[in-house]
Amino acid sequence: MKQLILFLLLLLPVFVEAQPQQGKLDSLHLALQNAANDTIRMDAYGQLGYYYQLINTDSSNFYLAKSLSIARKLKLKLYEAGVLHHQGNMLASTNYPQALQILLQALKITADPASEKNSWNLLVGKTPHTQRLNSLGYTHFNLARLYSNTGDTEKQISNLLQTKRLAEFVHDADLNLLANFRLGDVYFSKLNKLDSALYFEQRALSFYSKSANKTLVGWVFNTLGRIYQKKGNFNLSKEALQKGLKLMQEQNNRAAVGVLSLSLSSLYKTIAKPDSCLLYANIALETYKLFNDQMGIANAYSSISSAYVEQKKTDSAFAYLQLATALHDSLNNVERKNLLAYQNVGFDEQMRLKNLEAEKIQTQNKIKTYTMLAGIAVFMAIAFLLYRNNRNRKKANELLQQQKEEIATQKENVEQSLVELKSTQAQLIQSEKMASLGELTAGIAHEIQNPLNFVNNFSDVNKEMLEELKAERLKPTAERDDQLQEEIINDVINNEEKINHHGKRADAIVKGMLQHSRTSAGQKEPTDINALCDEYLRLSYHGLRAKDKTFNADFKTDFDDTIGKINIVPQDIGRVLLNLYNNAFYAINEKKKTAGEDYKPLVSIETKKINARPDDTVGRDKVEIKVSDNGNGIPKNIVDKIFQPFFTTKPTGQGTGLGLSLSYDIIKAHFGEITVNIREGGGTEFTITLPV
């Protein structure tokens, strides 16, 4: 019941906003009836065409055609181009060839400076030159939309960049908002470049307050929400999508309401909330049904099916899946025909018209013959259809039962595979942790060995000197050498001080290592990042030396003393550093086996504080840690894969492929970044950036 109430409340603004829209429609029709001349009549038709653009495409095309006819009669080229690119925009999703022809006509007009003559005041306070460039920008934008629908991403981006350049030149907030929004969308949905997509969408929002086009902000929030969802920031994703949904419901933008509802449904599916997933999928379905958006309805069916799968309601899930599949297949057939026609748009138009005329004459002759045969065919067709429907119904029932059994079997197989996969992942992660613990232990052992050697050596020396003193004391008083006894006593005291010094040093090493190797509670604390880097560098080096006595390498450090302490989980960052150091030493050791005697293996560590830029909206300083080596480097064709779980370049049995994956997750949990760069001349450089 709570879900039903929320569902009705979410749809309420769609109906409440209908009354103000009706008032606007009445005023436009009144203006058309009272039009004193063709110019006013042309503008009224144009405004009616724009009004129906998202409500009824047939009505919109009717009024735009009326407006276009008058504009051509009055030779108002810029107004003609404005109507053309609006018509092309509507046809860009349904009729590719016609949309391309119309938009190319608009482009020809707006690219010609002669079109500025006899211009009608489209934009108040704008010169004819500015109006033409503004219209040229919108034409490029609509061409980009058409190229997006036909799959030509390169031309889409080229036209959007042209739009952005023109929008910035004429200072058009609406056009800037459109261009940046679409650029963000293409970088997200087609190129999967999330940071670039986020930049353009945030830039689009910066024009929102100056823009008169308030409906578009819903689409911007939708793309922002999907970007945050893919980045794994579900709270920001939910906040953006719900804010966009609220704004679009207030503005009665049904198309945007449907898209945002589907995105919220997808988000709740990702975070395992099937009830909310189903709720928003149903909202999307009802919204799309209001204006008969078949693709939207098909997508809503798919989301509802997914929600029922999560709720383990297989019958309902299968029913909606069939609806979605049937509708998608129908739409795909239309799409293929549309695309084929688009690809052949340059064919000889006059020949086509001749063929159409000939076909028209032939058709008229055939109609008479076919009409006579139609009566007989109808009776035969009815009998055949009844027989076929009965047979198909029987086959469909059998097929449905078979599919249910197959789905049940596949479900059992998937569940078993998931259990096995989780078990294998747990074993591999434990193996990686034990390997890191072994390397850490070896480093600690080697590090503490040095002060213990001093303690043992000075203890042995003290023992010998005390025995010598004891022997001297056994001599008669007259034969004793007091000066020698005094020297021995002083030496013993000095040695004891050294033993005490190295004992405390060993104690400090043990305490420090225990502090950094104890189980992490996940709590951040102020930490000297330079000391942490230096500590784990020595541990990694000595750990490898403990495994391989022949291993030797140089390492150098360049620490920025101005950093001070930063708030991190030291055990987690220590694990990241240990992974990077171990990989660097492994790389130079492998190269040393094949390189000549002139090769000098070297690992470098650098820390640097980076102050916030003046244009940084967050305004946070950062710390940069670079770990580099002069080993063999990483092949370019696998650089993009190194942070993936279980991917490793080491031979079988020498690595689990989880070290860099876990390091990536740890750095992201600290709201930082980790990147890799292949250095010139060989070698690899990892850069960690952490907020202060």
Side-chain angles (χ1 to χ4, degrees):
M1 178 59 72
K2 291 173 66 179
Q3 291 180 357
L4 177 60
I5 293 172
L6 179 57
F7 174 76
L8 293 174
L9 288 174
L10 287 170
L11 283 182
L12 183 60
V14 174
F15 305 106
V16 171
E17 290 294 324
Q19 293 179 351
Q21 296 292 330
Q22 184 61 43
K24 179 180 179 181
L25 179 62
D26 292 340
S27 64
L28 289 174
H29 280 292
L30 184 62
L32 181 61
Q33 292 173 4
N34 298 327
N37 53 53
D38 282 344
T39 302
I40 298 175
R41 192 174 296 106
M42 173 191 70
D43 188 51
Y45 280 131
Q47 292 295 330
L48 283 166
Y50 305 151
Y51 173 86
Y52 281 107
Q53 195 166 16
L54 293 176
I55 301 173
N56 188 314
T57 54
D58 290 336
S59 298
S60 180
N61 274 321
F62 172 79
Y63 287 113
L64 288 176
K66 290 278 190 182
S67 180
L68 181 63
S69 176
I70 299 175
R72 286 172 173 169
K73 174 184 174 183
L74 299 177
K75 297 181 180 181
L76 298 174
K77 286 294 185 180
L78 291 185
Y79 197 95
E80 177 186 349
V83 176
L84 286 171
H85 73 64
H86 275 287
Q87 286 183 321
N89 178 48
M90 282 193 300
L91 292 168
S93 298
T94 57
N95 191 326
Y96 300 159
Q98 190 176 356
L100 180 60
Q101 290 175 343
I102 289 174
L103 290 174
L104 289 178
Q105 291 177 35
L107 185 64
K108 183 178 180 181
I109 294 172
T110 53
D112 186 2
S115 301
E116 297 171 10
K117 298 178 181 178
N118 194 31
S119 64
W120 189 70
N121 192 21
L122 296 171
L123 303 171
V124 178
K126 300 290 185 180
T127 65
H129 179 64
T130 302
Q131 291 182 46
R132 182 178 65 83
L133 295 180
N134 182 272
S135 186
L136 179 60
Y138 277 100
T139 305
H140 277 296
F141 177 81
N142 289 322
L143 275 169
R145 181 166 179 260
L146 174 61
Y147 287 128
S148 172
N149 293 338
T150 58
D152 195 335
T153 304
E154 184 178 349
K155 287 185 179 179
Q156 179 189 6
I157 293 176
S158 174
N159 277 276
L160 285 174
L161 291 175
Q162 282 281 69
T163 304
K164 182 174 179 292
R165 181 180 64 82
L166 290 165
E168 291 171 350
F169 183 81
V170 300
H171 304 291
D172 188 321
D174 290 345
L175 197 54
N176 266 306
L177 177 60
L178 282 167
N180 283 282
F181 156 64
R182 284 299 182 189
L183 280 167
D185 185 71
V186 71
Y187 274 102
F188 167 72
S189 60
K190 296 186 178 180
L191 302 181
N192 197 32
K193 294 183 178 181
L194 302 185
D195 291 336
S196 298
L198 187 61
Y199 165 79
F200 283 115
E201 294 300 337
Q202 289 175 337
R203 183 160 176 78
L205 279 182
S206 69
F207 293 101
Y208 173 59
S209 60
K210 301 176 184 177
S211 172
N213 188 359
K214 301 302 183 183
T215 61
L216 185 63
V217 73
W219 304 91
V220 177
F221 278 117
N222 180 68
T223 305
L224 276 173
R226 293 167 64 204
I227 294 171
Y228 285 130
Q229 180 180 348
K230 199 162 188 179
K231 278 177 163 283
N233 196 329
F234 300 128
N235 288 334
L236 285 179
S237 176
K238 178 181 175 183
E239 179 182 344
L241 293 173
Q242 289 186 338
K243 185 174 182 179
L245 180 61
K246 181 181 178 183
L247 288 171
M248 293 302 95
Q249 288 170 335
E250 292 172 353
Q251 297 175 22
N252 194 26
N253 189 331
R254 296 172 182 173
V257 168
V259 169
L260 285 157
S261 298
L262 279 182
S263 296
L264 278 165
S265 178
S266 172
L267 172 63
Y268 281 115
K269 177 187 175 184
T270 302
I271 60 178
K273 291 187 176 181
D275 292 341
S276 297
C277 173
L278 181 61
L279 170 66
Y280 283 99
N282 276 306
I283 293 173
L285 178 61
E286 295 302 320
T287 303
Y288 284 126
K289 283 182 177 180
L290 288 175
F291 58 102
N292 196 30
D293 186 333
Q294 294 298 302
M295 180 59 73
I297 292 171
N299 292 334
Y301 282 150
S302 297
S303 294
I304 293 172
S305 176
S306 298
Y308 279 128
V309 169
E310 295 295 322
Q311 292 180 339
K312 303 188 184 306
K313 297 179 179 179
T314 54
D315 291 339
S316 299
F318 185 72
Y320 277 97
L321 180 60
Q322 284 185 312
L323 290 173
T325 302
L327 192 50
H328 274 301
D329 289 343
S330 174
L331 292 171
N332 287 338
N333 289 334
V334 174
E335 179 72 6
R336 281 193 292 270
K337 292 178 182 178
N338 198 2
L339 187 58
L340 181 61
Y342 165 79
Q343 293 168 344
N344 296 326
V345 71
F347 188 76
D348 189 355
E349 185 68 9
Q350 292 182 352
M351 183 63 71
R352 185 182 69 83
L353 293 174
K354 283 185 177 181
N355 290 337
L356 287 175
E357 186 65 25
E359 289 176 4
K360 181 179 179 181
I361 295 172
Q362 292 177 2
T363 302
Q364 289 175 347
N365 293 331
K366 290 178 180 179
I367 286 175
K368 298 177 181 179
T369 304
Y370 291 155
T371 302
M372 297 173 63
L373 298 174
I376 300 173
V378 166
F379 291 107
M380 296 180 65
I382 291 173
F384 174 74
L385 288 173
L386 290 173
Y387 167 75
R388 189 185 65 176
N389 288 343
N390 185 54
R391 185 184 61 181
N392 289 345
R393 187 182 300 109
K394 186 176 180 180
K395 287 183 178 180
N397 290 334
E398 293 174 356
L399 179 61
L400 181 59
Q401 183 61 32
Q402 182 182 353
Q403 288 176 338
K404 285 183 178 180
E405 293 173 358
E406 290 176 357
I407 289 172
T409 303
Q410 291 173 359
K411 181 181 178 183
E412 292 176 1
N413 293 337
V414 169
E415 289 176 349
Q416 180 62 29
S417 299
L418 182 60
V419 171
E420 294 174 359
L421 179 61
K422 287 182 177 179
S423 176
T424 303
Q425 287 179 335
Q427 292 173 8
L428 285 172
I429 291 173
Q430 182 63 23
S431 173
E432 178 70 20
K433 289 182 178 179
M434 293 305 294
S436 297
L437 182 60
E439 292 165 353
L440 187 63
T441 304
I444 293 173
H446 193 282
E447 185 73 7
I448 202 172
Q449 188 63 44
N450 192 33
L452 289 179
N453 286 339
F454 277 106
V455 171
N456 292 335
N457 291 339
F458 283 119
S459 296
D460 291 341
V461 171
N462 277 359
K463 181 179 178 182
E464 293 174 1
M465 295 178 70
L466 288 173
E467 288 177 351
E468 185 179 351
L469 177 62
K470 183 178 179 182
E472 187 69 25
R473 296 290 297 271
L474 293 175
K475 293 179 181 180
T477 305
E479 298 178 5
R480 295 176 185 172
D481 188 342
D482 293 336
Q483 183 178 355
L484 177 61
Q485 293 183 52
E486 186 67 24
E487 289 177 356
I488 291 172
I489 292 171
N490 290 334
D491 287 342
V492 169
I493 292 173
N494 290 335
N495 288 345
E496 286 297 325
E497 290 177 352
K498 293 177 180 178
I499 290 171
N500 184 51
H501 168 73
H502 288 290
K504 289 181 178 179
R505 180 183 168 198
D507 179 63
I509 291 171
V510 171
K511 287 181 179 178
M513 294 306 101
L514 288 176
Q515 180 180 3
H516 291 298
S517 63
R518 70 177 184 266
T519 302
S520 170
Q523 297 295 325
K524 292 184 178 181
E525 57 187 70
T527 305
D528 187 336
I529 195 67
N530 291 338
L532 192 70
C533 291
D534 187 60
E535 239 172 75
Y536 277 91
L537 175 63
R538 289 186 286 107
L539 287 178
S540 175
Y541 177 75
H542 292 316
L544 293 173
R545 287 274 296 167
K547 288 182 179 179
D548 183 3
K549 299 298 183 183
T550 63
F551 172 75
N552 195 15
D554 291 333
F555 54 83
K556 68 176 183 178
T557 60
D558 183 10
F559 295 145
D560 186 348
D561 296 332
T562 65
I563 295 176
K565 294 185 177 182
I566 65 173
N567 211 28
I568 58 172
V569 181
Q571 295 83 5
D572 289 348
I573 298 300
R575 179 175 295 173
V576 174
L577 292 170
L578 190 62
N579 279 329
L580 296 183
Y581 293 152
N582 288 345
N583 288 345
F585 283 125
Y586 174 84
I588 62 176
N589 194 34
E590 288 297 306
K591 185 173 182 178
K592 187 177 180 182
K593 295 176 182 178
T594 57
E597 295 182 357
D598 294 336
Y599 174 64
K600 303 292 184 184
L602 176 66
V603 174
S604 303
I605 300 89
E606 177 187 354
T607 62
K608 182 170 63 175
K609 184 176 182 180
I610 302 174
N611 295 324
R613 302 189 310 271
D615 60 342
D616 191 341
T617 56
V618 179
R620 300 177 68 179
D621 295 340
K622 298 178 181 178
V623 169
E624 188 176 81
I625 306 169
K626 290 186 178 181
V627 179
S628 55
D629 63 72
N630 61 347
N632 289 320
I634 303 173
K636 291 184 178 180
N637 61 328
I638 65 170
V639 168
D640 295 336
K641 302 178 181 178
I642 62 171
F643 293 113
Q644 295 178 4
F646 312 113
F647 179 81
T648 179
T649 58
K650 295 180 181 178
T652 304
Q654 294 190 26
T656 63
L658 289 172
L660 288 177
S661 175
L662 292 173
S663 299
Y664 181 88
D665 292 340
I666 290 171
I667 296 302
K668 285 297 181 183
H670 281 74
F671 302 102
E673 292 183 354
I674 178 170
T675 57
V676 61
N677 181 42
I678 302 173
R679 304 175 67 189
E680 293 184 6
T684 308
E685 180 180 82
F686 283 88
T687 302
I688 299 171
T689 306
L690 296 172
V692 177

